[in-house]
Amino acid sequence: MRVGFVGLGDQGAPIAARIAAAGVDCTVWARRPETLDPFRAGPARVADALADVGEGVDLLGTCLFDAAGTWEVLFGPAGVAPAMPAGATIAVHSTISPDEVRALAREAATYGLHLLDAPVSGGRIRAEAGELITMVGGEQSTFARFDPLLRTFSAEVVHVGPVGAGQHAKLLNNAMLAAHLALAADAFRIAEGHGLDPVAFGKVLAGGSGRSFGVEMYARVGGLAAVARSQARPTLGKDVALLADSMVSDSEGGLLLSAARAAIAAFDTAADD
């Protein structure tokens, strides 16, 4: 199997590295040359141009920040899709809207290409350890073909439905994270107001039934202001907005969307304090 990979950011770089380390024939490309430096000694090959990444591949993985970047890399004037062989598959690991990924799949089909909607969750540390969760939307037969490859960087690979379902799952997941972070901040605020030691209270939540990844993240970085000033703020803000756009009404979003929106507002307040 031959794989190409574009988008060597916080999660993309370790994903590509694990694919190559598993013995897969892997070629990488990035817009910023410095992000390619860790790959120049192998085992992945570094392409000279974007189109070169698509030549002869079975699968092209993309892990870019947004839909605009994904469209540009795949179907822009210098896009990689025309260089890919008919019957090959694109795996979109970015978090974008369900409508956008379905539109990408329709455009890919005009080139004779398949598409898997395959966002990931876990962050850089889990990507480096091969412990991401990858939620996949797409045809069952296409998913089955590439399931073993996705497991080179994932502890869990879950087929959740057709194209678009992977993005729905990821957006709901990230809305939960945003809400949990804001709830953790409130819980620690109340606890400290009642004289509880924050470190001790953190241990209670870490081992108790109120534990969550959001609580762990909050305690690890040292508060909501630190979260708000990190890459988590633009990422979660983007994803909550995408979730809202995917809902037919605010009432469909219900308590989760309300809590996630309140969390983004809380991030911004914390960042300004």
Side-chain angles (χ1 to χ4, degrees):
M1 183 175 291
R2 295 188 64 185
V3 173
F5 203 93
V6 179
L8 303 176
D10 195 54
Q11 290 189 119
I15 288 173
R18 287 197 64 89
I19 291 172
V24 178
D25 184 345
C26 183
T27 302
V28 299
W29 183 87
R31 284 175 280 196
R32 292 182 293 120
E34 63 271 20
T35 63
L36 291 166
D37 290 343
F39 293 89
R40 297 191 189 281
R45 292 194 304 274
V46 174
D48 294 326
L50 175 57
D52 297 341
V53 183
E55 293 182 357
V57 296
D58 299 287
L59 180 80
L60 176 80
T62 66
C63 196
L64 302 151
F65 182 71
D66 57 15
T70 306
W71 277 100
E72 182 68 19
V73 160
L74 292 175
F75 308 116
V80 67
M84 296 174 63
T89 296
I90 298 164
V92 177
H93 299 303
S94 310
T95 304
I96 60 178
S97 79
D99 285 345
E100 284 281 10
V101 81
R102 285 189 284 262
L104 286 167
R106 290 192 294 270
E107 184 67 16
T110 68
Y111 292 86
L113 304 173
H114 308 287
L115 187 140
L116 288 175
D117 160 28
V120 297
S121 181
R124 184 180 188 93
I125 293 173
R126 291 190 178 183
E128 290 172 343
E131 296 176 350
L132 293 174
I133 179 165
T134 301
M135 48 221 90
V136 186
E139 292 288 340
Q140 177 65 43
S141 58
T142 307
F143 166 72
R145 181 183 180 196
F146 295 105
D147 182 22
L149 180 74
L150 298 175
R151 293 183 186 277
T152 63
F153 55 84
S154 308
E156 194 78 51
V157 180
V158 185
H159 184 245
V160 291
V163 170
Q167 297 299 333
H168 272 299
K170 177 63 185 292
L171 294 177
L172 289 166
N173 174 81
N174 279 14
M176 290 283 287
L177 172 58
H180 285 172
L181 282 165
L183 287 171
D186 229 25
F188 275 89
R189 177 187 60 81
I190 295 168
E192 289 187 53
H194 284 271
L196 279 69
D197 176 79
V199 174
F201 182 60
K203 291 180 180 178
V204 170
L205 290 185
S209 57
R211 67 187 181 276
S212 71
F213 183 81
V215 168
E216 294 169 6
M217 183 176 176
Y218 178 93
R220 184 174 67 250
V221 303
L224 204 59
V227 175
R229 296 186 183 109
S230 73
Q231 182 58 34
R233 166 58 185 90
T235 298
L236 291 175
K238 169 182 73 76
D239 295 349
V240 170
L242 289 174
L243 178 64
D245 289 343
S246 74
M247 299 293 179
V248 296
S249 66
D250 279 359
S251 62
E252 185 192 0
L255 181 60
L256 174 58
L257 184 55
S258 296
R261 281 172 161 166
I264 300 304
F267 294 163
D268 292 340
T269 299
D272 292 337
D273 288 345

